[in-house]
C-alpha cells in the first residue's frame, strides 16, 4: 500500500526548473532519503509535501493518518 504518491510535480522559480513532471511513491514500511548538492530543490520538495510551498502543477495523495513534518534549516526569532 502506498502511503505517499506524488505525480507530475513541476516547480520553477523564474526560468529555473527544480522539478519537471517528477513523480514517486513510498510504500508502508519503506524509508527514503533526499540527497543532492545545494540549490537542487531538496528543501523545496519537502516544503511542497507538507504544504508550505505550492507546486506549479502535479498531484499528491497521502494515506489516511499520514503526517509529514518539516523543520526549517534556519530558525527565526532565536538569539544565539
Amino acid at each position: 500500500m502506498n502511503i505517499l504518491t506524488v505525480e507530475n510535480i513541476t516547480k520553477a522559480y523564474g526560468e529555473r526548473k527544480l522539478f519537471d513532471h517528477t513523480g514517486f511513491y513510498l510504500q508502508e514500511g519503506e524509508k527514503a532519503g533526499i540527497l543532492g548538492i545545494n540549490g537542487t530543490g531538496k528543501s523545496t520538495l519537502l516544503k511542497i509535501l507538507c504544504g508550505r510551498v505550492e507546486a506549479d502543477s502535479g498531484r499528491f495523495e497521502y494515506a489516511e493518518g499520514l503526517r509529514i513534518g518539516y523543520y526549517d534549516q534556519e530558525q527565526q526569532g532565536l538569539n544565539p
Side-chain angles (χ1 to χ4, degrees):
M1 172 184 170
N2 289 351
I3 60 170
L4 172 63
T5 302
V6 177
E7 294 179 342
N8 296 315
I9 285 184
T10 299
K11 181 63 180 174
Y13 290 104
E15 295 290 319
R16 185 164 185 237
K17 279 192 177 182
L18 293 177
F19 312 110
D20 189 14
H21 301 287
T22 299
F24 63 91
Y25 62 88
L26 290 175
Q27 293 187 333
E28 189 172 351
E30 288 186 318
K31 295 179 179 159
I34 301 174
L35 305 172
I37 61 173
N38 292 349
T40 56
K42 301 177 301 292
S43 295
T44 300
L45 174 61
L46 293 173
K47 288 176 184 177
I48 289 170
L49 293 177
C50 68
R52 291 186 181 195
V53 171
E54 189 172 324
D56 298 333
S57 65
R59 185 181 81 79
F60 310 90
E61 187 175 311
Y62 304 96
E64 186 175 328
L66 179 70
R67 295 185 316 169
I68 296 177
Y70 176 82
Y71 291 98
D72 286 320
Q73 294 178 32
E74 297 177 21
Q75 296 180 2
Q76 297 180 8
L78 298 177
N79 295 324

